[in-house]
Each structure stands twice: as C-alpha cells, then as structure tokens.
Amino acid sequence: MAKNNETFVTQIARRDMDFPQWYTDVVLKTDMVDYSDVRGCMVIKAYGYTLWEQMQQKMDARFKKTGHKNAYFPMLIPESLLTKEAEHVEGFAPECAWVTYGGSEKLAERLAIRPTSETIICSMYSRWIQSYRDLPLKLNQWCNVMRWEKTSRPFLRTCAFLWQEGHTAHATFDEAQAETLQQLDCYRDFMENELAIPVILGRKTEKEKFAGAYATYTLEAMMQDGKALQMGTSHNLGDHFARAYNIQYLSKEGKLEYCYTTSWGTSTRMIGGLIMVHGDDRGLVMPPRVAPIQVVVLPIAMHKEGVLSKAAEITEKLRAAGFRVEMDDRDQSPGWKFNEWEMKGVPCRIEVGPRDIEQGVGKCVRRDTLEKFTLPMEGLGDALTALLDDIHATMFRKALAFREQKTVRASTYEELKAGIQNGFVLTNWCGETECENAIKADCNATTRCMPFGADEPDEGAVCPHCGKPAKTKIYFAKAY
Ligand SMILES: [Zn+2]
C-alpha cells in the first residue's frame, strides 16, 4: 500500500520545488477545473462548482441580512454607455471583448461584453431613482464577466469568470462610505469565518484604485509562496458615476441632488486563494464550512457481512443531521481511496471496518493535521461538529502565523527589497505615485494597501525609497 501511496502523491509537484506547477497539478487533478477550447477560458467542474455554490450561499445570506436584493442585468453594454465615465473606460477598454455582428449584420454600435456592470446599472438607476424616497437602492448580481487577459491561470486570471457585484445608491457621501466599509467588513467576516483565510483590510493608493472610484478598499491575503492575492474590493464611487450617468433625486427640501454610489465585488478568484493558502503536498485542504464534502465514510473490508449496510446507515444519519457527507464504496483499495480523498481535501474521513462495528466506533482522520483517532458512533454528529470547528480554527491560526512570520517591518530600502523576496513588507511611505512606480519597476512589487487602524506613519519617519517625509504606512508585496 505504501508504494501505491507514493506513486499517487508524486502526481503533484512539491510546493517548495515548483509552486506554480503544484497549483496547476492540484486544480486539474482534483477535478476543480479543466481547460476549454477557448484560450483563457476555464470550465469549472462539479467539485469546484459545488465549492462555489457553498461560498455563494454563505455570502448571499450575509448580503440579504443587510437589506440587499439580487437582480440581473444584461451582459452586453453599448459602447456609448461604457464611454460616459472617462477614467472608467480608460481603465477597462484594453481588456474589453466586443460584439460587432448580430447574425450576419454588422451592428451600428458595437457592444462590450461586461467587464463589470457599473455603467449599465448606473444607467438603469438614473431611470429608477427619482426622489429621496427611492433611496437607498441596494442591489447585487451574481453573474459572469469577461476580461480579455493575455495570460491565464485557472481561478486566478481567466477571460471569463464568475462573481458577484453589489451596486448601491445613496443620498449622501457619508451613507455611501458607510456602505462601502460595511461590505468590506462583510467580506472579512466571510473570508475569516467561512474560508479560514486571514485578510489585511485597507485602502488602495490612487494608482491602484478602481477606475473612476473616489476610494477603493481591499482585502489582501498571503499565499504560501509569500505573494499577495487581492481577495475582494469595495469601492466608494463618490458622485462620479452619478454625474456621468445622471442619477439624481429630488430631496425632501425639493432640491435636485446627485446620488453617491458604491460597488463591491468578489469572484471565483477566491477559490485560487483558498487553494494557495491551505493546500499542502498531498493536494487540497478544504476549509470545512464551505467544503463540497465535509465527511467521507469509507467502508473497510466491504465484502464482509454488515459493513456496507452499517457504513450506509452512518452516512444517512450524518446527512440527515445536515453534514455534506459521501460514502465511497467504489471498487478500489482503501489506500487508493485515502489518497484520493486527501488530495481532494475532504476535512474528515471515517473508516468503518468489521472490528470498528463490533466496538461501536469509527476510525477518523482529519485532513488538516492528518491526526488519527477513534470516535464512538454514539453521538457521532456532535463530535463531528466540534471536530469541523476545530479544523477551521486550526487552519485559520496556521495561515495567520505563516503570514506574520513572512511579514517584514522595513525602515531601509535594503530591508524593503529583501523583505519583498520573502513575503509582505510593511513600511513608512511618502504616498507619491512616482515613488510607487519606481519601487514597482525596481522590485517587481506593488503597493497592496494602507492598513486600517495602522496607517499612521512613525513619528518623523521618512520614505525608505526617496527619503521624503512619510505620509502613511503601507504594505508592499509581489502579487497575483
Ligand atoms: Zn517615496
């Protein structure tokens, strides 16, 4: 069996040898995705899509709790609509895909396949919002978007991907700002408490903010190669889009005012983050609260009388108790199955053999630590609930400790440069785009964010690159 294990595991590259290859091996060999016939477009297979469904449900419930409703807008945007907000079109034009023909007829105006939906949603909001009574308007849509990327990697960068985009309109700037930060915190709650991923919250620089936004806020996570992944963003759009798309309302005082709008989004990119934060050399490690399968039941010595029926009974009981559980009674050796489910990252497996049945227990293995122990069948549901919670907490703590260990506080440019090779760098900074560009060119790293509650520069500190007085603290890192 040992030999069998080895051959199976060597199908995945080692993380410390070739992290990009490890990632590709994992997403393909665990049935998360496949490549399609269209360059840069991925197919999300059932195992990957079930994970996305779990994530969707958990986010959607949070959005609805704070008064958002779902709607759907068309995927085609007339060019004239897209070009109304100048910064926005400049930001997105290079990666737009265009529809120029309808059947065999050339269109009078070409149509963009949505790279994001601010423009079409704002144009509708300008019709729907008339008075202060129509505010706030808080919609979200779950859909696909398209960005014509030159290079692609499954989940991380593909031409077509799935996401949600929230769009809200408010009477005042302050209300829009409160919404922007509320949704950012909603994402933090989701990422920490469902995905077990620690995130750094903060504001993007002028250079890195969303095209046309007043301010962009972000959630940044560290991958196991020390690079950053932007897990989600929330934008206060000020009144820029309201002015460009004429979203006005009649105030209580009878005055015509412009609205303040926000948008916020997360995508299937988070799945790439989940894989790169938690995975190990055996493959995926699924955070239990979103895992497509939380528990797999493996009957051992299936041919022996009573084993299959007992395993099926346990499976049914757990399913009825609300667990996402599967029984694997395929005609394969136990060793093959252990490897298969470990590779797929199922948080917990329970082995049930003739002797276990006699003793009224199951052999349990948790995926995150590979620890083995027995659990009594009596009260199994409660024990598993506690176990899955512990797996979640352990995964979160491990990821947080890793990030802290690979974060350098730099005060000189040498420290900054060295730190970036290893992970995140937190440093005092002058805040100037010119300096940001120079560091990016020299270190191949970008500013990630000015962290909330910790962006005050040290007293009298100077920028380690240009020596000017520091205006803020900021994170630099290489990023996906
Ligand atoms: Zn500087």
Side-chain angles (χ1 to χ4, degrees):
M1 198 193 292
K3 196 178 169 208
N4 193 0
N5 282 5
E6 240 164 60
T7 17
F8 205 68
V9 167
T10 49
Q11 289 179 9
I12 299 177
R14 271 173 49 184
R15 284 167 302 167
D16 59 347
M17 302 284 277
D18 189 345
F19 195 77
Q21 188 60 48
W22 169 83
Y23 179 82
T24 305
D25 287 348
V26 167
V27 290
L28 291 176
K29 286 175 180 165
T30 56
D31 281 331
M32 296 284 279
V33 290
D34 204 349
Y35 297 117
S36 79
D37 290 335
V38 182
R39 187 197 61 85
C41 291
M42 65 175 168
V43 176
I44 305 178
K45 296 176 80 175
Y47 194 58
Y49 197 79
T50 309
L51 170 64
W52 178 239
E53 283 178 323
Q54 285 298 325
M55 293 164 67
Q56 265 188 311
Q57 281 172 23
K58 263 120 198 166
M59 277 197 282
D60 203 62
R62 283 169 166 82
F63 299 161
K64 284 176 178 152
K65 227 182 211 171
T66 42
H68 303 90
K69 292 192 169 85
N70 287 329
Y72 184 76
F73 295 83
M75 71 184 300
L76 297 175
I77 303 172
E79 184 167 20
S80 56
L81 204 57
L82 195 73
T83 52
K84 272 190 178 174
E85 212 289 335
E87 276 178 74
H88 186 70
V89 68
E90 202 183 302
F92 281 100
E95 45 190 50
C96 266
W98 296 95
V99 175
T100 53
Y101 277 84
S104 58
E105 237 168 87
K106 192 160 199 266
L107 302 178
E109 179 181 15
R110 58 181 188 157
L111 305 168
I113 299 175
R114 62 181 164 216
T116 176
S117 305
E118 275 75 9
T119 57
I120 193 140
I121 291 178
C122 283
S123 79
M124 297 313 295
Y125 278 15
S126 79
R127 289 195 219 168
W128 298 341
I129 296 168
Q130 305 296 332
S131 121
Y132 70 92
R133 291 182 198 89
D134 302 323
L135 295 171
L137 182 52
K138 305 203 289 185
L139 297 181
N140 174 65
Q141 86 166 332
W142 291 96
C143 66
N144 58 354
V145 286
M146 178 158 276
R147 294 177 189 177
W148 213 252
E149 302 281 0
K150 290 189 181 75
T151 57
S152 77
R153 303 194 64 200
F155 294 121
L156 298 172
R157 196 169 292 280
T158 51
C159 291
F161 57 90
L162 299 177
W163 80 346
Q164 59 71 216
E165 46 180 322
H167 296 270
T168 66
H170 306 265
T172 66
F173 178 90
D174 288 350
E175 276 179 47
Q177 179 68 4
E179 165 80 12
T180 307
L181 297 183
Q182 173 192 276
Q183 292 315 105
L184 188 78
D185 196 60
C186 167
Y187 287 155
R188 179 203 55 75
D189 176 46
F190 166 74
M191 289 165 194
E192 293 184 350
N193 294 315
E194 307 289 355
L195 306 184
I197 296 178
V199 282
I200 295 169
L201 277 62
R203 184 174 170 170
K204 287 280 184 190
T205 60
E206 285 302 298
K207 174 183 162 66
E208 296 290 333
K209 75 177 188 184
F210 179 73
Y214 165 78
T216 290
Y217 302 90
T218 180
L219 304 103
E220 304 280 328
M222 183 190 279
M223 307 296 108
Q224 286 182 64
D225 58 356
K227 286 193 192 172
L229 183 77
Q230 181 179 295
M231 296 282 288
T233 47
S234 186
H235 316 289
N236 181 343
L237 303 174
D239 60 1
H240 299 178
F241 282 82
R243 285 179 185 275
Y245 292 87
N246 201 31
I247 312 175
Q248 285 182 295
Y249 71 97
L250 210 53
S251 72
K252 266 185 194 164
E253 293 74 32
K255 237 178 103 193
L256 203 55
E257 307 267 12
Y258 282 105
C259 286
Y260 292 84
T261 64
T262 79
S263 68
W264 28 275
T266 57
S267 72
T268 40
R269 209 169 189 231
M270 284 187 290
I271 296 177
L274 179 156
I275 295 166
M276 290 194 290
V277 166
H278 297 308
D280 65 17
D281 286 342
R282 291 175 191 239
L284 293 169
V285 180
M286 287 282 184
R289 292 174 190 162
V290 291
I293 302 168
Q294 296 171 304
V295 182
V296 62
V297 177
L298 295 183
I300 305 293
M302 288 193 292
H303 58 281
K304 295 245 167 101
E305 209 192 317
V307 171
L308 262 184
S309 61
K310 187 68 190 175
E313 182 196 314
I314 293 166
T315 306
E316 270 322 303
K317 254 193 194 158
L318 291 177
R319 187 168 290 140
F323 293 96
R324 295 187 291 281
V325 56
E326 257 183 43
M327 178 175 81
D328 185 357
D329 59 357
R330 289 176 296 175
D331 185 20
Q332 294 279 7
S333 73
W336 189 94
K337 290 180 187 175
F338 296 165
N339 279 323
E340 163 96 349
W341 295 111
E342 275 172 12
M343 189 167 75
K344 288 196 159 210
V346 173
C348 165
R349 77 166 184 260
I350 299 172
E351 301 161 24
V352 184
R355 195 173 299 168
D356 306 312
I357 293 171
E358 242 170 63
Q359 296 172 352
V361 299
K363 279 200 197 69
C364 189
V365 182
R366 57 189 279 179
R367 175 63 182 89
D368 61 330
T369 59
L370 300 170
E371 240 176 294
K372 292 176 188 159
F373 44 93
T374 54
L375 283 178
M377 284 300 131
E378 191 70 37
L380 182 63
D382 289 344
L384 279 178
T385 301
L387 176 64
L388 293 179
D389 279 346
D390 189 60
I391 292 175
H392 173 93
T394 306
M395 289 173 70
F396 182 83
R397 275 199 307 270
K398 188 181 171 196
L400 184 60
F402 180 84
R403 188 187 81 197
E404 281 172 358
Q405 181 224 323
K406 284 177 89 74
T407 299
V408 167
R409 280 149 186 88
S411 48
T412 68
Y413 192 54
E414 282 63 43
E415 286 170 357
L416 187 150
K417 271 183 96 161
I420 279 170
Q421 299 311 315
N422 185 50
F424 289 7
V425 170
L426 181 62
T427 183
N428 293 295
W429 184 56
C430 63
E432 289 180 18
T433 306
E434 208 177 294
C435 181
E436 190 176 0
N437 286 335
I439 295 172
K440 184 177 180 181
D442 191 30
C443 302
N444 190 27
T446 47
T447 57
R448 302 318 304 162
C449 69
M450 298 170 268
F452 277 162
D455 60 346
E456 272 291 306
D458 296 327
E459 216 185 303
V462 295
C463 172
H465 182 255
C466 68
K468 287 181 189 163
K471 292 215 176 84
T472 182
K473 277 239 176 76
I474 197 159
Y475 278 97
F476 279 94
K478 296 190 180 197
Y480 281 91

